[in-house]
Amino acid sequence: MTLETISENRSFGGRQGVYRHASKATGTDMTFAVYLPPQAETAEVPVLWYLSGLTCTHENAMTKAGAQDHAAREGLALIFPDTSPRGEGVADDEAFDLGQGAGFYLNATQDPWAKHFRMWDYIAQELPDLVFDAFPLDRAAQGITGHSMGGHGALTLAMTLPDTYRSVSAFAPIANPSESDWGRKQFAAYLGEDRDAWAAHDATLLMADRGYPGEILIDQGTEDQFLDLLRPEALAQAIVARRQPAMIRMQPGYDHSYFFVQSFMGDHVAWHAERLWDPV
């Protein structure tokens, strides 16, 4: 695949780049960002995927999460994909939580979404094949995290593909979408009414069914304005029932914004670095 460089900037001794390519998975051009820490100049480095939330592009976390400073210290590369296919001819909806900017990291099976909304294949296979060919990254050392809809994607991908992702964390994830208005609406549109198909993309149901072989870190703000939609209590109950090693931190006074993400990004990058550089 041909990779077009949109921009590259020096950042904390490393390099922040933005790139575009033609995606076979989505049938559209896709834009993503990669941060390479200084350590990547001499060796392959571990990778931390960051999946963004509703309405976001690659740019939101790249510019607002404050992750590059931490990644440079820990020697991790960061990859910021987009949240959906975009462009002329791509199905969309007037609501912010469906269509472009709201891909939910799944492969849609229903019209009009099925033609382009194949974000699971894009994140799990196509984009990794591209970046590991183009950059000095260690494919055997991948972690994944994300915020809100991206936290949902990080947890579901990690539990489904545990051999791919050696570490996982999430910021305020949509934790039980099958029982939330942030999930039922989108799953019905993208996947139809078969709730068995929904279960493959519900972190709470995946936790009950299979869990994750490592530890999980989740941060959630107590003043999150979307707390009822996120349903962290459902995931917490499934974690306890499974006796899954996990740390769920209810952070007092924090909301759903990127100020929340910034505040705990250093903890998450260090969490992943510990498991990617020195796996247990």
Side-chain angles (χ1 to χ4, degrees):
M1 289 180 282
T2 302
L3 190 62
E4 175 190 355
T5 299
I6 297 175
S7 64
E8 289 184 333
N9 300 93
R10 199 70 170 161
S11 176
F12 295 100
R15 185 179 73 205
Q16 177 64 67
V18 177
Y19 309 94
R20 182 186 295 121
H21 72 107
S23 167
K24 292 182 180 179
T26 68
T28 66
D29 286 347
M30 295 293 289
T31 302
F32 67 95
V34 176
Y35 176 71
L36 295 176
Q39 296 86 340
E41 294 181 1
T42 57
E44 291 185 346
V45 295
V47 176
L48 178 58
W49 294 85
Y50 181 99
L51 306 185
S52 289
L54 287 167
T55 75
C56 292
T57 70
H58 70 280
E59 188 174 13
N60 295 76
M62 182 185 78
T63 60
K64 296 180 180 179
Q68 290 88 345
D69 186 13
H70 306 298
R73 286 197 300 270
E74 300 288 356
L76 297 187
L78 303 169
I79 303 178
F80 306 100
D82 203 347
T83 54
S84 78
R86 301 177 190 272
E88 186 177 353
V90 176
D92 201 8
D93 191 89
E94 292 181 357
F96 75 93
D97 57 357
L98 184 67
Q100 296 186 37
F104 267 77
Y105 303 103
L106 52 75
N107 289 338
T109 60
Q110 306 298 303
D111 292 332
W113 314 103
K115 181 178 180 180
H116 298 295
F117 281 72
R118 303 192 61 80
M119 290 301 292
W120 181 278
D121 285 352
Y122 179 70
I123 297 295
Q125 189 61 54
E126 185 180 42
L127 187 55
D129 285 347
L130 176 61
V131 297
F132 285 108
D133 183 59
F135 302 102
L137 309 175
D138 183 356
R139 191 159 193 159
Q142 297 182 65
I144 191 166
T145 189
H147 175 227
S148 194
M149 181 185 71
H152 140 82
L155 292 171
T156 58
L157 280 157
M159 280 189 275
T160 305
L161 303 169
D163 292 337
T164 297
Y165 303 104
R166 191 186 291 172
S167 58
V168 60
S169 71
F171 298 87
I174 302 174
N176 188 202
S178 297
E179 301 301 330
S180 167
D181 287 342
W182 273 359
R184 286 178 297 207
K185 169 186 175 180
Q186 294 82 1
F187 286 177
Y190 295 143
L191 301 174
E193 298 296 339
D194 181 4
R195 292 179 70 94
D196 288 341
W198 299 10
H201 299 284
D202 187 309
T204 295
L205 299 180
L206 287 171
M207 177 58 64
D209 180 59
R210 66 184 69 184
Y212 179 72
E215 300 169 289
I216 298 173
L217 171 63
I218 297 172
D219 274 311
Q220 172 65 63
T222 63
E223 300 302 313
D224 192 315
Q225 60 270 46
F226 303 115
L227 199 55
D228 290 343
L229 293 167
L230 302 174
R231 292 182 53 81
E233 69 281 2
L235 179 57
Q237 291 167 5
I239 284 171
V240 171
R242 191 174 187 82
R243 294 170 171 79
Q244 168 73 46
M247 185 184 303
I248 302 178
R249 307 191 304 187
M250 298 299 297
Q251 301 292 0
Y254 284 90
D255 60 16
H256 200 70
S257 71
Y258 263 96
F259 295 110
F260 158 66
V261 175
Q262 289 173 10
S263 298
F264 303 102
M265 179 57 72
D267 292 352
H268 283 246
V269 172
W271 168 278
H272 288 276
E274 181 181 357
R275 287 154 181 79
L276 295 177
W277 279 114
D278 299 302
V280 294

